[in-house]
Structure formats: structure tokens, C-alpha cells
Amino acid sequence: MDERTNTFSGEKSPTLAVVETVASVSGRDPTALPPLYNAVNPDALDALFASSDSRDTSDLRVSFSYNGFDVVVEGRETITVRLEDRAD
């Protein structure tokens, strides 16, 4: 599979969900993946999407490359992982 969409909620941080989704799509153990901080600041990503009654996160969208995949984290707790396009 070249693409997977996953969700996260209060029980799971966006960073954990990203690592689990990329591991699932790539068929690797999450602990075998490179550190996520090589691609994005994990603390900042989690803080950005943290639940808050005073802040609407529905319009937020962060995209980055990680372990050969394009990763998009979107407002309402959605993560999409897609194999990077490789120009030959």
C-alpha cells in the first residue's frame, strides 16, 4: 500500500500516530524508523494540534517528509501518509 490515512485523538499524540502510520505503511517496526525529530519538531507538532476549547484546529495543516513518505497532519485529527514521488 502506498497511502494510509489514520486518526489520532486525546489518547494518542500526533507524533506517535505519525510514527505508527509510517511503520504500518512501510512494513517496519516503529522502533526501527529514524527519529522523527530529523523531519519535524515532535514537541511543536504535538503542541500545535493539542486540544483546546479556546482554539479551533480544524484549519491546521502541517506537511513534511519522513522516511521516504510525504506526511500530512490535518486539523481534525487526520494523518495521511503517502509514498514520496521519486523523479528518476
Side-chain angles (χ1 to χ4, degrees), residues 35-71:
L36 185 59
Y37 62 77
N38 289 340
V40 68
N41 181 318
D43 293 333
L45 184 65
D46 287 343
L48 188 61
F49 287 94
S51 305
S52 173
D53 293 335
S54 63
R55 188 166 54 102
D56 181 15
T57 61
S58 62
D59 291 337
L60 290 178
R61 178 184 167 106
V62 175
S63 59
F64 55 93
S65 294
Y66 175 58
N67 195 51
F69 291 88
D70 292 322
V71 177

Side-chain angles (χ1 to χ4, degrees), residues 1 8 22 24 27 29 42 48 59-60 68 81 84-88:
M1 171 181 281
F8 59 94
V22 170
S24 176
D29 185 280
L48 188 61
D59 291 337
L60 290 178
V81 172
E84 283 181 328
D85 289 333
R86 307 239 173 172
D88 294 67

